[in-house]
Amino acid sequence: MIHKPIVSFLFSMAALTSTAVAAEGQWQALPDKAPAPADNPTTEAKITLGKMLYFDTRFSSTGTVSCFSCHNVMEGGDDHRPTSIGVHGQVGGRNAPTVWNAAFHSVQFWDGRAPTLEDQAKGPPTNPIEMGMVDLDATIGRIRAIPGYQPYFTAAFGNKGDVMTMDNAAKAIAAYERTLITPNSAYDRYVKGDKKAMTDQQIKGMETFAKVGCTACHSGPAFNGAAQLAVGQGFFMKFPTFPNNNPYTTQYKLTEDLGRYTVTKQDSDKNMWRVPTLRNLTYTAPYFHNGSVKSLDEAVRVMAKSQLNKELSDAEVKDIVAFFGALDGTFPQQTMPMLPPTPGDLLTGN
């Protein structure tokens, strides 16, 4: 985990780091395939099962909430709410991060409490606000009670022993989510050699993005600073880094949620957050962990002041926003899965 002394060093060296990135041509295209762990290789059978579970509201206590409810893969992979709505209309405390390109994060959730996609998939079902199941046994029990799922688990994990487990359900969901990547953006084509892929303004915005210091945090293929880290290690930064004499701190309540501290209870983790991806930002308003900022140009101004203690000109903001548009990638086509029928005696209670 990156702690305060390193954060201070990184930001003091931001201009040098960013200039070096731009000068040495170290801009990286998104891979065409997401990496999978050795204990969960991606297969078509897992993807098929995982997609079904991702869309299935029967994973929730009320039978009304699925992964898709908060992470809409028919558009930006989020729900466009400041914070998400779960079972019984309860409102969560954080903005739903996009599921697109989540496979390239070093850790999952805003506070990094899940090291892998597999671990992340086990979180929402038992969250009392999100899906509201009493425990993971109850969650997989709901799926076990649907006979039509058995052939899909068998196809994905074989027929030796009990394969309808929560671990396997999480592996299947993770396998599906590793297909949710968006390569071949204008930026990707540009860094691969097609110098006409980006507009002049987008190129200028990329140069401005590096010059002002944004790449101190937002580097790597997914612009989430995780290219150099092993999965599970986590890349965290303090936000806001400059909270004092910053009108945005109060206006957007940037310090009320203590971030990773809520997980570790270590003072050094107060207001520390996993660095989010910058890909497909035009699809994922509102912005930040609390969904407090509605527009992308305002988000750029907030970040410049809060992270770099800089105030950008309108022209600089417009150029950076134009560059972000070049990070919108090609979305793989999504179709709704047909789910197994619900047995008449399956109750929707916990």
Side-chain angles (χ1 to χ4, degrees), residues 11-171:
F11 279 104
S12 67
M13 297 298 289
L16 292 176
T17 301
S18 303
T19 301
V21 169
E24 296 174 13
Q26 294 178 357
W27 301 96
Q28 301 173 50
L30 196 74
D32 292 329
K33 185 177 181 180
D39 64 348
N40 190 26
T42 302
T43 66
E44 287 301 319
K46 286 180 189 175
I47 293 169
T48 296
L49 172 60
K51 184 177 184 179
M52 295 167 70
L53 295 171
Y54 186 92
F55 279 84
D56 201 332
T57 58
R58 292 170 294 189
F59 242 24
S60 67
S61 62
T62 59
T64 59
V65 178
S66 69
C67 304
F68 175 78
S69 299
C70 298
H71 304 281
N72 183 354
V73 294
M74 298 302 176
E75 200 234 7
D78 62 343
D79 59 7
H80 293 301
R81 295 184 175 101
T83 59
S84 295
I85 297 176
V87 293
H88 305 295
Q90 297 180 95
V91 179
R94 291 177 182 164
N95 180 260
T98 178
V99 71
W100 291 108
N101 302 307
F104 296 107
H105 288 317
S106 58
V107 290
Q108 303 298 321
F109 293 115
W110 280 102
D111 54 26
R113 64 185 181 274
T116 67
L117 285 173
E118 287 80 0
D119 292 307
Q120 188 279 332
K122 297 177 184 178
T126 59
N127 184 296
I129 293 177
E130 295 180 49
M131 291 182 170
M133 296 298 287
V134 293
D135 54 36
L136 291 177
D137 287 339
T139 304
I140 195 61
R142 180 71 62 78
I143 300 303
R144 285 175 181 273
I146 303 171
Y149 263 119
Q150 180 67 59
Y152 293 97
F153 274 86
T154 299
F157 298 103
N159 56 8
K160 294 182 179 180
D162 180 12
V163 294
M164 292 190 73
T165 66
M166 193 63 212
D167 282 346
N168 283 344
K171 285 182 177 181

